[in-house]
Amino acid sequence: MTALPAGLTRPPDAAASEPASRWQALDDPHEQGAFTQWHTDATGVRQAVSQFQISGMHCAACSGLIEDALMQVPGVLDARVSAASERAEVRWDPARVQPSRFVAALDRAGYGAVPDAAAPARLARQQERRQSLWRLFVAGFCMMQVMMYATPAYVAPPGDITPDVLRLLQWASWLLTVPVVLFAAGPFFSGAWRSLRARRIGMDVPVSLGIAVTFIASSGATFDPGGVFGHEVYFDSVAMFVFFLLGGRYLELAARHRVAGTLEASVQRLPERVERVLSDGSIEAVSPRRLVPGDQVRVAVGQAFAADGRVLQGCTEADEALLTGESRPVPKAAGDEVVSGSLNLGGPVLMRVERVGADTRYEGIVSLMRSALTERPSLVRMADRIAGPFLWAVLLLAALAALAWSFIDPSRALWVAVSVLIVTCPCALGLSAPSALLAATGRLARQGVLLQRLDAIEAMTRVDTVFVDKTGTLTHDELGLARVQGLSAGGGGGGGALDQPAQNRWVRQAAGLAVQSRHPLSQALVRAAAALKDDGVADTAAWTQVREQAGRGLSALDGEGREWRLGSRAFVLDAPASAPAAAANAAEADGAAVLFGPRGHAAVAFHFDETLRPDAQQAVADLQAAGLRVVMLSGDAPQRVRRVADELGVADFIAHALPEDKLAALAAAQAAGRCVAMVGDGINDAPVLARADLSVALSQGANVARAQADAVLLGNRLGDLVQARLLALRTRRIVRQNFAWAASYNAACIPLALAGWLPPWAAGIGMAASSLLVVLNAQRLVLRTPGKD
């Protein structure tokens, strides 16, 4: 009997309905960690949300059938299925059901489900692709043979073929069409049966009806040429129709699998086993899910980091491209942070684990990705709403066509009705939005923009105002060294200007002392020294007896025994702790400044300020050039906000803004009819992100901000938002093109079919070509540059 997580009990009927052993592994709590997240609802009840890759889906209507099958399992609280990405998200009560139960329910409904992890999902795709190729091969091979037997009847003059030879050719065609109908066309019949069993109508219903009616009528004509079905056979039309439709569906399948593979490559990076270093120095191989904070892990070259942490020993480079979009490897030395899912490229290192499981940045990205892949955006929902009534209209139109032609020419009534059924099947309509949205999602993931809600693509196209938080979004959330000022002996501001080598020398000398402190300004000074180019100026100071006084600064002795100080003006100048206002006011006048020099004599002052992100100016300029209004929000003083706004070229800004002030400003813009995007990273931005029409967060931001965001910039580059909007505009154009093509195709072909000018085989080619054109048009989003058509 499979063990349950601590505190949970097995439902009373579990023993009687123990699932097959092949699914029991899904009930292992450690295995569930790979595809399940745990939550607690408002009443304190623990719930689980699991992600699965679904196989056996052939049309958009399958998503509704799968949702119905899942909801019938006791303990399943909610189910969401995306036909475009072939994924299901299931929310379930662990006290009442386990994953093996609802996977078994899907199996009984005719669908396969595997946990949404790389290996089984990839295997499921390979099996589905292999089976689709076999069906396509059988249909193609038999179609060629049937066409060979049917050709003499089309080209031979009357009387050249004797009745017995004609009957023989018809029997041979029937024999070759049987595997096409029973095997190659199997997905259409199984999909139609599932739809009818659920009392719903899907796109497979008219297709299956057309195939079945044509085959049965042709078989009747073959067995009894003088009977009610007449003497005309359409085996060639059946084989051609099935082949071309399977060919179109295979290309659609390949496009979906390519998108799924791209998205999985962005998140499926963890190794299956890691080498944990024990306290006695020995090594043990464990699953990444067994790691806990504080563990030490040895990471070999080419292996992925299995958790968030810091490098303890060794130097290397990490490939974070699939997590952040950063194309170049990032250098990592002792003390540097490493991200779960990034690849170790340079050399073996020893790391200390700090965050594991759901707390890692990797798992956060996985959660956002899975949420996006099970999302059914408004464009897809609209297409589904249109397709349902349209299918009923198709069946009614085919019946009326058969009735009308039974009076006009009874011998043609059957194939006219079949042509109407086939040519009006709304496959292209159902693929118009999902194919484009999935292609755009895959492109954005590779560029470092992860969508949590697919409706964000549509929202990006409507935005005309962008609210941007200043600190941490437009600027780095850490202060940077702005300038180095030479001082007079007494610490005043009358010192002469320092040339660059002198500035570098002072920065390096002070950084040698600052490295002993974790104070933000000390760390900013260390970063500034590390960024200096090698100009031949070296720091030769060797500090001893280093001491730090909280809130004041650092002191140490140099090689000659002199005491140097780094810190506030009062500390460096050795002013009494109780000295009133003079020293304090002078320090305040300097703002974020740190003085450095021998005790009692300040030699230089290091001034710190906010620094803009490297691409902030260009991103703001690009947004404004696109006609968008940019508004900067900040809780800082007006003079500091104005300085940053002037540097960025932003005319509209709001200073001293509390969270409620930011929310009020956004609400006022929306009330004025504007579509507003909010870009932020802090906890105080979460309410505004939730209210905005489009919300964008930086991946380094607070968890609550990322949870409220529609999109996350994995590389923390604002320029990615500009590129995402350009791609969203192209996606909207392609979706409109797809809808227009689907409507135009039906408007042109339905009259031809009703008039009897479109035989069933031509209708099959037209429907398959229509679906293929929609998919190929969507693939332009993957192959071409955003902003160009």
Side-chain angles (χ1 to χ4, degrees):
M1 187 75 70
T2 304
L4 296 178
L8 300 181
T9 59
R10 184 172 295 274
D13 62 338
S17 57
E18 190 71 21
S21 58
R22 58 180 170 142
W23 293 315
Q24 283 184 343
L26 301 179
D27 299 342
D28 184 346
H30 292 293
E31 295 301 324
Q32 288 176 5
F35 61 94
T36 301
Q37 292 181 311
W38 301 90
H39 306 282
T40 302
D41 64 11
T43 62
V45 177
R46 195 177 187 219
Q47 297 180 355
V49 178
S50 297
Q51 310 285 340
F52 291 91
Q53 176 93 26
I54 305 298
S55 60
M57 298 182 66
H58 303 290
C59 68
C62 292
S63 58
L65 300 177
I66 296 173
E67 289 173 355
D68 291 344
L70 289 170
M71 292 302 296
Q72 292 175 6
V73 178
V76 173
L77 306 177
D78 187 31
R80 292 194 307 171
V81 179
S82 170
S85 61
E86 298 179 312
R87 281 172 170 81
E89 180 180 271
V90 185
R91 184 164 56 90
W92 49 281
D93 182 357
R96 300 174 57 198
V97 71
Q98 286 294 303
S100 58
R101 299 281 298 282
F102 46 78
V103 171
L106 287 181
D107 183 72
R108 290 192 298 271
Y111 298 96
V114 294
D116 188 10
R122 187 163 51 250
L123 180 61
R125 289 199 302 271
Q126 290 173 351
Q127 292 175 342
E128 187 173 18
R129 187 183 301 112
R130 188 180 299 113
Q131 190 175 40
S132 297
L133 278 174
W134 267 112
R135 295 183 189 278
L136 183 62
F137 168 76
V138 170
F141 178 80
C142 294
M143 176 198 71
M144 290 187 293
Q145 300 302 312
V146 171
M147 289 299 298
M148 182 177 67
Y149 294 138
T151 301
Y154 290 120
V155 299
D160 277 12
I161 304 178
T162 60
D164 56 336
V165 172
L166 184 62
R167 292 289 306 278
L168 180 62
L169 293 175
Q170 291 177 348
W171 274 98
S173 297
W174 176 85
L175 188 63
L176 288 167
T177 308
V178 169
V180 174
V181 174
L182 298 184
F183 174 70
F188 309 129
F189 290 110
S190 60
W193 171 246
R194 287 194 295 264
S195 297
L196 296 175
R197 190 172 59 179
R199 298 182 179 179
R200 300 179 63 170
I201 185 170
M203 296 180 189
D204 285 330
V205 172
V207 171
S208 301
L209 191 59
I211 294 173
V213 169
T214 306
F215 180 73
I216 292 173
S218 299
S219 299
T222 301
F223 298 149
D224 184 11
V228 294
F229 293 107
H231 63 280
E232 297 288 344
V233 297
Y234 305 101
F235 295 123
D236 52 340
S237 296
V238 172
M240 288 182 65
F241 170 59
V242 172
F243 172 74
F244 284 114
L245 187 56
L246 285 175
R249 289 202 173 183
Y250 177 77
L251 292 175
E252 297 162 17
L253 177 73
R256 289 201 308 267
H257 286 183
R258 185 163 54 250
V259 172
T262 299
L263 298 180
E264 282 182 0
S266 302
V267 296
Q268 301 292 351
R269 299 293 296 270
L270 294 188
E272 295 183 1
R273 285 287 184 268
V274 296
E275 295 182 341
R276 180 164 59 187
V277 181
L278 303 180
S279 57
D280 60 359
S282 60
I283 303 293
E284 69 170 345
V286 298
S287 168
R289 292 186 286 275
R290 300 281 184 178
L291 295 177
V292 297
D295 281 348
Q296 294 186 11
V297 177
R298 189 171 65 183
V299 185
V301 177
Q303 188 179 30
F305 292 95
D308 290 357
R310 293 190 181 275
V311 177
L312 293 178
Q313 296 176 8
C315 296
T316 187
E317 291 183 332
D319 178 7
E320 300 178 353
L322 289 179
L323 296 175
T324 67
E326 176 59 55
S327 59
R328 293 173 296 181
V330 181
K332 301 291 182 182
D336 288 342
E337 185 177 8
V338 291
V339 182
S340 172
S342 59
L343 289 178
N344 179 19
L345 299 180
V349 295
L350 181 68
M351 66 168 291
R352 182 180 65 248
V353 175
E354 294 183 349
R355 292 180 297 275
V356 297
D359 296 330
T360 63
R361 182 175 175 185
Y362 165 84
E363 287 294 340
I365 294 174
V366 170
S367 176
L368 294 178
M369 180 70 76
R370 287 172 172 169
S371 176
L373 290 178
T374 54
E375 182 75 21
R376 298 178 73 184
S378 58
L379 287 174
V380 176
R381 294 193 297 269
M382 180 185 71
D384 290 346
R385 288 195 300 269
I386 296 174
F390 186 80
L391 286 170
W392 285 110
V394 165
L395 297 177
L396 179 61
L397 189 62
L400 293 176
L403 179 63
W405 275 91
S406 63
F407 294 102
I408 300 173
D409 185 354
S411 65
R412 303 177 64 189
L414 175 63
W415 69 260
V416 167
V418 171
S419 297
V420 172
L421 281 174
I422 294 172
V423 81
T424 55
C425 183
C427 292
L429 176 66
L431 290 169
S432 296
S435 57
L437 293 177
L438 262 295
T441 301
R443 177 69 177 266
L444 289 173
R446 291 197 302 273
Q447 293 178 344
V449 180
L450 188 61
L451 298 184
Q452 184 171 354
R453 192 171 60 92
L454 291 183
D455 277 335
I457 294 178
E458 182 186 6
M460 285 182 189
T461 65
R462 296 184 288 106
V463 165
D464 55 22
T465 302
V466 181
F467 281 31
V468 188
D469 176 61
K470 178 178 73 69
T471 305
T473 304
L474 291 169
T475 66
H476 291 291
D477 52 7
E478 301 170 330
L479 294 177
L481 180 62
R483 61 189 177 94
V484 181
Q485 176 188 4
L487 300 177
S488 63
L498 299 176
D499 58 21
Q500 193 61 48
Q503 291 184 34
N504 293 354
R505 184 180 68 253
W506 284 114
V507 169
R508 287 195 175 97
Q509 186 176 357
L513 180 57
V515 75
Q516 309 292 331
S517 172
R518 301 304 300 171
H519 190 280
L521 295 184
S522 294
Q523 293 300 302
L525 191 58
V526 172
R527 289 194 299 272
L532 292 177
K533 296 181 179 179
D534 185 8
D535 55 6
V537 179
D539 172 33
T540 59
W543 303 109
T544 59
Q545 299 185 29
V546 179
R547 298 176 181 174
E548 183 172 10
Q549 296 186 28
R552 292 172 62 80
L554 289 160
S555 65
L557 300 181
D558 63 11
E560 299 176 357
R562 257 191 327 177
E563 182 181 354
W564 288 68
R565 291 189 172 184
L566 174 70
S568 66
R569 181 183 293 269
F571 177 65
V572 173
L573 297 181
D574 205 17
S578 60
N585 290 342
E588 183 179 353
D590 276 348
V594 170
L595 274 61
F596 178 61
R599 179 177 178 179
H601 302 280
V604 293
F606 302 107
H607 295 271
F608 299 88
D609 207 343
E610 291 179 302
T611 56
L612 291 176
R613 291 189 177 274
D615 64 339
Q617 286 181 312
Q618 187 62 47
V620 169
D622 290 342
L623 290 172
Q624 292 174 334
L628 276 65
R629 176 185 174 223
V630 179
V631 181
M632 187 171 67
L633 306 176
S634 176
D636 286 345
Q639 60 271 23
R640 296 185 65 187
V641 179
R642 181 178 294 278
R643 182 188 65 78
V644 175
D646 291 342
E647 193 172 354
L648 289 171
V650 175
D652 300 321
F653 62 87
I654 302 175
H656 278 318
L658 298 174
E660 52 267 30
D661 299 326
K662 297 179 181 180
L663 193 59
L666 184 141
Q670 289 176 325
R674 292 187 171 273
C675 183
V676 182
M678 174 66 192
V679 186
D681 73 327
I683 294 176
N684 60 341
D685 297 325
V688 195
L689 290 168
R691 175 67 183 269
D693 299 290
L694 171 69
S695 52
V696 181
L698 274 60
S699 65
Q700 69 175 21
N703 289 336
V704 66
R706 296 199 303 269
Q708 296 290 349
D710 299 325
V712 177
L713 304 181
L714 298 179
N716 301 310
R717 295 182 297 269
L718 295 175
D720 290 342
L721 177 60
V722 178
Q723 295 301 314
R725 183 174 181 275
L726 292 175
L727 187 63
L729 292 171
R730 291 198 65 237
T731 302
R732 182 178 65 179
R733 288 197 295 271
I734 284 180
V735 169
R736 289 177 175 176
Q737 291 168 5
N738 287 347
F739 277 135
W741 165 253
S744 301
Y745 161 76
N746 282 292
C749 292
I750 289 176
L752 295 177
L754 291 173
W757 295 344
L758 195 68
W761 63 266
I765 294 176
M767 191 187 73
S770 176
S771 300
L772 178 60
L773 181 63
V774 165
V775 173
L776 293 179
N777 191 38
Q779 293 307 300
R780 293 195 299 138
L781 293 168
V782 178
L783 301 176
R784 303 190 63 178
T785 304
K788 295 182 181 180
D789 270 329

